Amino acid sequence: MRIASFNINGIKARLPRLKEWLEETRPTVACLQEIKTQDEGFPADEFEEMGYKAIWHGQKSFNGVAILSDGTAPEEVRRGLGVDGPKEGEGEQSRYIEADVNGVRIVNLYLPNGNPQPGPKFDYKLEWMAALRERLQELLASEQPTVVVGDFNVIPRDNDVWSVKAMAGDALMQPESREAYTRILNDGWTDALGLLNPRGGVWTYWDYQAGAWQRDHGFRIDHLLLSPQTADRLVSAGVDREYRGREKASDHTPVWVEIRD
DNA sequence: ATGACCAGTCTAACTGGA
């Protein structure tokens, strides 16, 4: 099965591009982030017509995640990690959804950006990462085949960014962000794209500003994490880089991992 | 060398992104 992750930056603005990508690459499971719509605005019918069944966890204006599955409905297990947003009394943001598809546990997440740092948004990012680690430890203990995907908003290594200097002050590559990510990996998860690209230079995001795409000024923040049970079944993983160059593109491009059935 | 975007929202500047 092939599991893909795509931060689409608005499902309404991106719908034609999204359907095109689904038709052209036909992933078994497609995990979406930043759908930027409330639950009632999610275009489930559009995906049903293409043979995809979906679950989603929306929110007004920002954030929001969804899981699409080819043919079979994802069996939702959990939504949310129970971490309130950084503003007083705002409650929880829609950043986490978890489901079973064909015996594989799928975790789809949109990790907080954390800028500006230091500050409450950065504290929120680290708090969220600590809660994520706890949940992922439970999943490791269950020994169920599990794949964790999404926009982690963490640049893991210096060779995962076009310029260390330009990004040095960014929340995405602060030592605290990287350490929190490494702690999760060290519990037993395999970063599929990192493993297959040890020398780096593979980007999943290019800013809309400053001609970043044309200059190839990008970085790797969309990740595919495999539990030991799915790491043993790893066939390949990659980045659908070409979609970043199309009209009305998201600033992220899709990533995917294939595991043996 | 410098500046440069985009989506969503209480449709005009805001917030938020990374």
Side-chain angles (χ1 to χ4, degrees), chain A residues 121-241:
Chain A
K121 289 188 174 181
F122 190 62
D123 296 341
Y124 168 56
K125 175 182 195 137
L126 298 179
E127 189 187 353
W128 206 94
M129 292 185 82
L132 174 65
R133 185 186 182 200
E134 285 195 21
R135 177 57 184 160
L136 296 189
Q137 284 174 338
E138 291 176 1
L139 296 178
L140 285 174
S142 79
E143 299 189 357
Q144 181 177 353
T146 304
V147 179
V148 181
V149 308
D151 177 358
F152 282 69
N153 270 320
V154 175
I155 298 169
R157 314 170 297 202
D158 281 355
N159 64 14
D160 292 315
V161 60
W162 66 279
S163 165
V164 169
K165 192 179 166 194
M167 293 293 289
D170 199 284
L172 276 54
M173 56 178 285
Q174 290 313 295
E176 296 93 328
S177 309
R178 286 182 167 179
E179 284 160 13
Y181 183 74
T182 302
R183 273 194 291 274
I184 289 171
L185 291 191
N186 287 346
D187 287 336
W189 299 96
T190 298
D191 174 340
L193 286 173
L195 175 73
L196 297 177
N197 300 282
R199 290 197 298 272
V202 173
W203 320 142
T204 67
Y205 170 91
W206 295 257
D207 202 298
Y208 286 124
Q209 298 185 68
W213 167 247
Q214 289 75 10
R215 297 170 176 216
D216 200 25
H217 290 178
F219 37 84
R220 185 172 73 93
I221 52 174
D222 299 274
H223 304 313
L224 306 153
L225 270 44
L226 308 178
S227 73
Q229 297 79 15
T230 51
D232 285 346
R233 293 158 58 180
L234 174 62
V235 177
S236 58
V239 178
D240 289 340
R241 182 187 162 97

Side-chain angles (χ1 to χ4, degrees), chain A residues 8-61:
Chain A
I8 55 172
N9 187 19
I11 200 160
K12 293 187 184 102
R14 210 71 56 216
L15 194 58
R17 280 294 95 87
L18 177 56
K19 290 173 70 175
E20 189 176 83
W21 169 68
L22 288 171
E23 281 164 4
E24 290 171 1
T25 69
R26 201 74 203 182
T28 318
V29 180
C31 296
L32 310 178
Q33 303 89 36
E34 284 204 87
I35 62 175
K36 292 186 172 181
T37 178
Q38 288 172 304
D39 283 342
E40 49 272 33
F42 187 83
D45 295 350
E46 301 267 358
F47 303 124
E48 283 272 350
E49 283 175 19
M50 301 178 63
Y52 279 96
K53 295 200 168 28
I55 58 171
W56 58 95
H57 181 23
Q59 179 181 344
K60 190 176 182 180
S61 305

